[in-house]
């Protein structure tokens, strides 16, 4: 494992992190040995653990970390998030969002509840979860966040963009206006925008803010775990992907086999190494449902791309991997 610093902060994290999203829900497949995955991550050198109150029911995405934190708090850089009212019902059946509540008093209450579930008295990185433009521009909210930091309950602030891919204006305003250490976005070697736009922004390019990549395997197209004939259950999160988009991504991936041919890397490791080849990205959050995946992906930083490989990837990206898309993925926004 290798480690990088979040921007100009004091937070140094593993280049591969671990998200509790798949442990708290069965939206990507069932995970029975939840604690086994957490301990496998720590044993593999992973120090960055990402969670949120809205993961699973009743804040379980946070509470399942409590035991690990009790024993290893000083070894872990912990991030959780704010914004969603987890006591409110989802806006629509299934996997839709819950209502958000960005009032300063609500954010303080959300943090206090998170600390209780986590069994800790501070969070290393506190991220606004799927924030639209309004909370990013809300000075009163950011004053409240700064007050929480001054009280020692939060060490650094960040913004996690989503759901889905996009939120360009939201990301740029966060980088330009706010004292953040991190910006989280969907980013993988096939879907590099808006991540490249954020990486080129001065706050990220100058090293003041570190980027976090999620969905690094393009919903498993780049993991080797599925193929173009895979049919997902209706309640599997990957079923939300447009079918033509998935086919486009599979065909683009065929141009990248040079990254994993031979025994140097697995396909899944190559996808992570390709992201880490961009110095603007501090860490990558792969989606893991087994101890084997945790161990596989944790080894990716030790198998970096060389200059020739990175140049070839950049060239293919500039030509859309010599592919004519069936489907153009729209970039989500607050509009």
């Amino acid at each position: 494992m290798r480690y990088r610093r979040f921007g100009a902060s004091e937070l140094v994290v593993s280049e591969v992190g671990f998200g509790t999203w798949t442990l708290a829900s069965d939206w990507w497949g069932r995970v029975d040995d939840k604690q086994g995955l957490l301990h496998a991550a720590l044993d593999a050198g992973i120090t960055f653990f990402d969670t949120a109150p809205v993961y699973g029911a009743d804040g379980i995405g946070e509470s399942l970390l409590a035991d690990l934190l009790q024993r290893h708090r000083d070894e872990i850089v912990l991030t959780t998030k704010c914004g969603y009212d987890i006591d409110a019902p989802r806006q629509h059946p299934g996997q839709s969002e819950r209502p958000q509540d960005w009032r300063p008093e609500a954010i303080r209450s959300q943090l206090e509840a998170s600390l209780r579930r986590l069994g800790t008295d501070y969070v290393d990185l506190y991220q606004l979860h799927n924030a639209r433009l309004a909370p990013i521009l809300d000075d009163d909210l950011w004053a409240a966040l700064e007050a929480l930091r001054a009280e020692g309950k939060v060490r650094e602030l960040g913004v996690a963009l989503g759901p889905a891919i996009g939120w360009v204006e939201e990301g740029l305003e966060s980088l330009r206006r706010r004292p953040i250490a991190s910006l989280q976005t969907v980013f993988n070697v096939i879907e590099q925008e808006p991540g490249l736009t954020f990486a080129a922004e001065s706050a990220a390019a100058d090293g003041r803010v570190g980027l976090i990549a999620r969905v690094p395997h393009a919903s498993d197209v780049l993991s080797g775990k599925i193929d173009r004939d895979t049919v997902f259950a209706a309640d599997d999160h990957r079923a939300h992907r447009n079918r033509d988009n998935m086919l486009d991504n599979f065909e683009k991936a065929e141009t990248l086999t040079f990254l994993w041919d031979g025994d140097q890397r697995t396909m899944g490791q190559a996808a992570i190494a390709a992201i880490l080849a961009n110095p603007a990205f501090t860490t990558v959050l792969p989606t893991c449902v087994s101890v084997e995946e945790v161990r596989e992906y944790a080894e990716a930083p030790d198998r970096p791309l060389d200059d020739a490989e990175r140049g070839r990837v950049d060239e293919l990206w500039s030509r859309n991997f010599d592919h004519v898309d069936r489907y153009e993925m729209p970039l989500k926004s607050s509009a």
Side-chain angles (χ1 to χ4, degrees), residues 200-239:
E201 188 67 19
S202 61
D206 296 346
R208 287 176 279 131
V209 176
L211 303 181
I212 302 172
R214 77 170 184 278
V215 199
H217 294 109
S219 298
D220 272 340
V221 168
L222 293 170
S223 71
K225 315 298 180 187
I226 65 171
D227 60 36
R228 65 183 63 220
D229 296 321
T230 299
V231 177
F232 299 110
D235 60 352
D236 190 300
H237 202 64
R238 289 162 290 188

Side-chain angles (χ1 to χ4, degrees), residues 103-170:
R103 293 172 300 144
E105 61 272 24
I107 297 304
R108 178 174 287 275
S109 177
Q110 290 170 27
L111 176 60
E112 296 291 355
S114 290
L115 294 175
R116 287 193 296 272
R117 285 188 291 265
L118 291 160
T120 187
D121 56 3
Y122 71 97
V123 171
D124 296 290
L125 176 65
Y126 202 41
Q127 299 178 77
L128 278 67
H129 199 177
N130 295 347
R132 283 25 173 197
L133 195 57
I136 291 168
L137 300 179
D138 186 343
D139 290 337
D140 290 339
L141 168 62
W142 285 88
L145 290 166
E146 288 286 4
L148 294 172
R149 181 156 63 174
E151 293 168 23
K153 295 180 179 180
V154 171
R155 292 180 64 191
E156 296 291 347
L157 302 170
V159 172
L161 301 172
I165 193 168
W167 316 101
V168 180
E169 186 178 6
E170 292 79 358

Side-chain angles (χ1 to χ4, degrees), residues 56-95:
D58 302 319
I60 191 174
E62 293 179 322
S63 59
L64 59 81
L65 278 170
D67 183 66
L68 192 74
L69 288 168
Q70 183 179 12
R71 302 182 184 195
H72 302 280
R73 185 65 185 94
D74 292 342
E75 304 167 49
I76 290 173
V77 178
L78 169 69
T79 180
T80 191
K81 307 180 185 78
C82 64
Y84 285 111
D85 179 357
I86 68 169
D87 295 322
R90 296 189 182 279
Q91 297 173 6
H92 304 284
Q95 299 178 6

